[in-house]
Amino acid sequence: MFPPAWQVGRYLETYAKKFLPPGIVKLNRRVIAADFDGDDQTGMWNVTSVDQTSREETRQSFDYLVVASGFFHRAGPRIRQTQMQHGSGKRIQHSTQFRDVASFSEDAGKIVVVGGGISGSEAAATAAFQISSAKHSPGQQSKWADSKVYHVFDRPFYALPRFVPQDPYNPAIQDFNLSPKFLPVDLTLYNIGRRGGDGPITASIGQVPPSKAEQGHEFIRSLLGGDQRGTGRMELVSKPDTIKYPAFTGISDLYAEFVRDGLIFPINGRVESISQGQSQNFSVDVVSQSLWANTDQKDKSSLNEVTGVIEATGFQSHLEYLSANVKQALEYDPSCLRVPFLLSRGSIFSERVPKIAFVGFYEGPFWGVMDLQSKLIAQRWGPEGTLPDELKKLDITDARSVRQTIKDRKLDVPQFWMADYVGLIEEFARDAGLQRDDATLGKGGPLFPSRYREKIEDGGDAAVVVGEVADVLQRSEKESLYVAAAAFRGMQGTWTLHRKIDSRHPSMPSGSFKGTAHFHPRNPTDPIYSAEYLYTEDGTLTMTNGMAFPATRRYVYRYSELDDTITAWFAEEDGVTVGNFFNKWDFYAPSDLEHGWLAKGSHWCSPDTYKSNCEFRFRGAGLETFGITYDVSGPKKDYSHESWYSRQIPGTV
């Protein structure tokens, strides 16, 4: 459901081979100039490109020009730097350049991430994960593994995991559903059933009214199980007087728990400058003064001993290859990075430059929208030259209004001003004369390109994809699909652990254990697994005979995306290396509303048999508590122990 870059590349190669004649796609070439010559009817585009290997330039003429080079063209403006030493700039990287914390310094220090939202949360979580993995993996530990991540952002955001509940709240008990059904975040967010109302659906573009903004906050909080104050950091919490403005989000499985554990420190504010002076490390000056700051006063502070800075400060797309005349006709404004050109509704056409069109040229583009943008372009420039009356107007009112609102720094502009995927895909499909396939999914369900076709009865590959999505929805509803993924993600971090041990063997007394457990994320030590934790527990074991002594355990937990399973493994004597297999959990639904998701497992560990039963109680996408019971029987062992894990409140012991 979440393909890595190489899989996307393979898909695009396959798509090109199937649908494009040979020689259409020219690779390893960069367009350096594009100018329009002539009138609107007979004029031509003169395009100059350069071969990236031979440096040979080629000039060609075309009837039409489609700009599909992407909105996120290059890194946004850099943060002001002062008193920098020669060569230190490589330790200040844009989020598109950042790959490895080790590239900053061999020593431990502060890693500062500047900017919130999608890029900032991903960069901060990636840096924290690399630190966690370096600290808790086999092999020699690097000094930088003791680093911390400081994340500076002006506006709170919600860290959404990749899998979220489709039924987080249960009206029957007026509380959160302890065993919700999970789906990938896109299939939940872009469900047309959430829109309600009668009549055609149109896209909401631009400013968000307070009532709709509040509904957005409520919906996201229901998915997460709260407003994120459970992380112990109010910097992530939108205050009551700010939920009238649109909610911002990031997508990360790891971010929130790294915050709760103190590996990521969120800071409300804006970075003014980065300086170095005589020290090898940096100082980062932060100013906190906004509606979201924890103080009403202008508070200025500095982060010192900074070994590296990641600038998640956005992007800019100036389309340098377009001529000055074309840019002027498109009302180019270099000061507004979010709306540099004024285009018609849906960011496709321009009335003043009728032979140019844009695909995916807006913040946060999705393939479904880009596919329909392409269809509308083909309709307009095709033999019949048809377009709906609404699109023929080529109205740029939306773009002009949003641009001015952004320049006025209004707070009711959403994170992505053209982010209404459901509205856009419905509106564009209607304009393109496509039908929505409701035969399999009904009138609700998630929206995606394959649901829209010229003739539903044509079927083909699109119908196959619709069937596959329907199967995913069915397995989520009737089986336990994605529950293991959600449970594994929820286990991350620090827990208070209580264990009761009941012995049935005369030579072994019963007892209880109280302590702290940690699930430390690290790189999988076997590539067949998608994710891995080093599990550690430390505390005091008190026996019924009065004896008490320190006790510790180490295990390794692994998640496999291929079969959606969690397995547990013993740790070797070094406490970090994976040893023998211990257990595997099979998830199943409870028979009532009072229990969370259940799991069971059985394993023969010579000469004893271990049977396990687990319960995972969710609150939204997060785990509120979970329990594991083992019943052990054999020639030398006969006991059971029941362990319950509850979230530790940050700042308490």
Side-chain angles (χ1 to χ4, degrees):
M1 293 301 295
F2 301 96
W6 68 267
Q7 288 183 340
V8 175
R10 182 175 295 177
Y11 167 80
L12 293 175
E13 288 179 355
T14 304
Y15 184 95
K17 289 179 181 178
K18 182 172 183 177
F19 294 105
L20 299 178
I24 292 294
V25 178
K26 304 291 185 183
L27 300 177
N28 201 39
R29 301 194 68 84
R30 182 170 62 90
V31 174
I32 59 175
D35 189 22
F36 186 74
D37 184 26
D39 58 52
D40 293 346
Q41 299 299 320
T42 62
M44 301 287 288
W45 284 97
N46 298 314
V47 178
T48 304
S49 62
V50 59
D51 187 288
Q52 295 293 82
T53 302
S54 67
R55 312 308 301 173
E56 179 182 354
E57 292 187 6
T58 302
R59 189 172 186 268
Q60 297 171 283
S61 296
F62 301 93
D63 295 314
Y64 300 98
L65 179 67
V66 177
V67 176
S69 51
F71 188 79
F72 300 131
H73 180 210
R74 68 183 187 197
R78 305 298 300 271
I79 297 170
R80 183 168 63 90
Q81 302 176 13
T82 62
Q83 299 177 309
M84 305 300 289
Q85 298 178 19
H86 177 71
S88 60
K90 66 181 181 180
R91 294 192 288 122
I92 302 175
Q93 303 172 9
H94 191 264
S95 57
T96 55
Q97 300 170 312
F98 169 67
R99 295 294 182 272
D100 194 346
V101 171
S103 66
F104 292 132
S105 174
E106 295 180 356
D107 298 319
K110 297 183 178 73
I111 308 298
V112 175
V113 179
V114 184
I118 302 294
S119 299
S121 59
E122 183 179 5
T126 299
F129 173 75
Q130 291 180 5
I131 293 169
S132 174
S133 184
K135 194 176 185 67
H136 301 289
S137 293
Q140 184 176 358
Q141 182 176 312
S142 302
K143 289 188 290 184
W144 59 263
D146 289 322
S147 298
K148 302 289 185 182
V149 178
Y150 290 76
H151 187 192
V152 184
F153 50 86
D154 186 54
R155 185 169 181 160
F157 64 92
Y158 296 99
L160 285 171
R162 293 179 304 153
F163 297 98
V164 296
Q166 53 176 317
D167 54 345
Y169 192 80
N170 189 337
I173 60 175
Q174 295 186 344
D175 203 350
F176 281 92
N177 190 348
L178 297 179
S179 56
K181 301 172 180 66
F182 286 88
L183 282 173
V185 63
D186 285 0
L187 297 187
T188 299
L189 295 183
Y190 306 127
N191 188 324
I192 192 174
R194 292 182 49 234
R195 294 300 280 254
D198 299 322
I201 294 175
T202 57
S204 175
I205 295 177
Q207 293 167 274
V208 179
S211 60
K212 189 173 181 180
E214 291 175 5
Q215 291 174 2
H217 283 274
E218 291 174 3
F219 173 67
I220 294 173
R221 289 177 175 184
S222 72
L223 295 180
L224 293 178
D227 61 5
Q228 299 187 132
R229 68 181 61 231
T231 62
R233 299 303 300 251
M234 294 301 292
E235 292 88 345
L236 290 175
V237 179
S238 292
K239 296 178 289 187
D241 60 339
T242 63
I243 61 172
K244 61 184 177 182
Y245 301 115
F248 281 30
T249 61
I251 305 294
S252 174
D253 284 346
L254 304 171
Y255 183 91
E257 293 310 324
F258 277 141
V259 171
R260 192 199 304 262
D261 260 4
L263 188 49
I264 295 178
F265 293 85
I267 299 173
N268 283 137
R270 292 180 178 271
V271 172
E272 277 195 337
S273 62
I274 304 170
S275 60
Q276 189 173 25
Q278 299 301 314
S279 171
Q280 180 182 358
N281 294 329
F282 304 120
S283 291
V284 177
D285 294 329
V286 180
V287 174
S288 298
Q289 186 186 38
S290 73
L291 186 64
W292 288 273
N294 291 325
T295 175
D296 294 331
Q297 305 298 320
K298 186 173 183 179
D299 183 21
K300 187 172 183 178
S301 60
S302 294
L303 294 170
N304 300 314
E305 299 303 319
V306 175
T307 55
V309 178
I310 304 170
E311 296 179 331
T313 50
F315 298 83
Q316 50 190 334
S317 185
H318 300 298
L319 302 184
E320 290 87 346
Y321 53 81
L322 289 181
S323 67
N325 291 335
V326 173
K327 284 188 172 184
Q328 183 179 7
L330 296 174
E331 299 192 45
Y332 170 57
D333 184 348
S335 69
C336 188
L337 301 182
R338 299 183 64 185
V339 192
F341 302 96
L342 297 186
L343 304 176
S344 65
R345 183 172 176 83
S347 296
I348 309 174
F349 300 114
S350 167
E351 183 179 24
R352 299 177 64 181
V353 189
K355 286 196 167 187
I356 193 173
F358 293 77
V359 173
F361 194 75
Y362 69 98
E363 296 174 325
F366 278 82
W367 283 10
V369 174
M370 291 189 287
D371 178 62
L372 291 171
Q373 286 177 325
S374 302
K375 283 182 167 60
L376 290 171
I377 294 170
Q379 284 188 9
R380 186 186 185 199
W381 290 346
E384 298 180 3
T386 60
L387 262 187
D389 291 338
E390 190 65 29
L391 275 180
K392 285 180 180 178
K393 299 176 184 177
L394 301 183
D395 189 6
I396 61 173
T397 302
D398 286 340
R400 189 184 301 280
S401 174
V402 171
R403 173 189 278 181
Q404 190 58 51
T405 303
I406 291 172
K407 295 179 73 170
D408 291 341
R409 297 186 177 275
K410 295 291 182 64
L411 300 177
D412 56 359
V413 179
Q415 184 176 5
F416 304 109
W417 64 269
M418 217 175 87
D420 184 3
Y421 175 81
V422 170
L424 287 170
I425 203 169
E426 275 284 291
E427 188 175 323
F428 287 172
R430 189 167 56 249
D431 291 338
L434 302 181
Q435 304 175 49
R436 189 179 71 221
D437 183 355
D438 293 338
T440 305
L441 300 177
K443 293 186 177 181
L447 298 186
F448 47 94
S450 297
R451 283 192 73 173
Y452 296 89
R453 305 195 287 277
E454 292 182 4
K455 295 181 180 180
I456 299 301
E457 59 271 18
D458 288 348
D461 291 342
V464 173
V465 174
V466 172
E468 290 174 345
V469 174
D471 180 65
V472 166
L473 299 178
Q474 178 75 5
R475 292 175 60 199
S476 170
E477 181 69 29
K478 302 297 183 182
E479 303 174 20
S480 60
L481 184 63
Y482 303 126
V483 172
F488 191 86
R489 184 206 70 83
M491 292 161 65
Q492 178 193 342
T494 304
W495 300 83
T496 297
L497 171 58
H498 293 271
R499 177 177 296 134
K500 180 183 178 184
I501 305 169
D502 291 320
S503 175
R504 297 180 292 269
H505 199 285
S507 64
M508 178 181 174
S510 299
S512 62
F513 174 89
K514 182 178 180 180
T516 302
H518 300 269
F519 290 84
H520 300 289
R522 70 183 194 183
N523 283 314
T525 49
D526 187 325
I528 69 171
Y529 295 98
S530 312
E532 184 170 301
Y533 293 129
L534 174 66
Y535 170 84
T536 65
E537 66 177 46
D538 298 278
T540 301
L541 178 62
T542 303
M543 313 304 293
T544 52
N545 60 12
M547 295 181 62
F549 47 87
T552 183
R553 285 190 179 190
R554 301 289 186 270
Y555 292 104
V556 174
Y557 285 84
R558 289 165 156 174
Y559 172 72
S560 170
E561 186 176 339
L562 290 176
D563 53 9
D564 195 33
T565 57
I566 297 174
T567 53
W569 303 71
F570 291 104
E572 297 284 11
E573 291 185 3
D574 63 1
V576 292
T577 302
V578 181
N580 293 328
F581 173 79
F582 177 45
N583 199 14
K584 175 184 175 182
W585 294 335
D586 295 316
F587 283 82
Y588 61 99
S591 58
D592 55 46
L593 301 178
E594 285 73 37
H595 290 84
W597 279 98
L598 305 176
K600 60 183 178 180
S602 180
H603 175 64
W604 184 73
C605 185
S606 181
D608 307 304
T609 299
Y610 288 75
K611 294 182 179 180
S612 63
N613 288 282
C614 312
E615 182 182 355
F616 296 84
R617 299 175 182 174
F618 284 89
R619 181 182 176 89
L623 273 179
E624 191 167 47
T625 184
F626 68 98
I628 304 174
T629 299
Y630 281 101
D631 191 85
V632 185
S633 59
K636 295 184 179 180
K637 295 181 180 179
D638 191 9
Y639 70 92
S640 64
H641 69 67
E642 182 178 5
S643 304
W644 279 97
Y645 298 79
S646 56
R647 275 297 181 197
Q648 192 173 63
I649 300 174
T652 65
V653 179

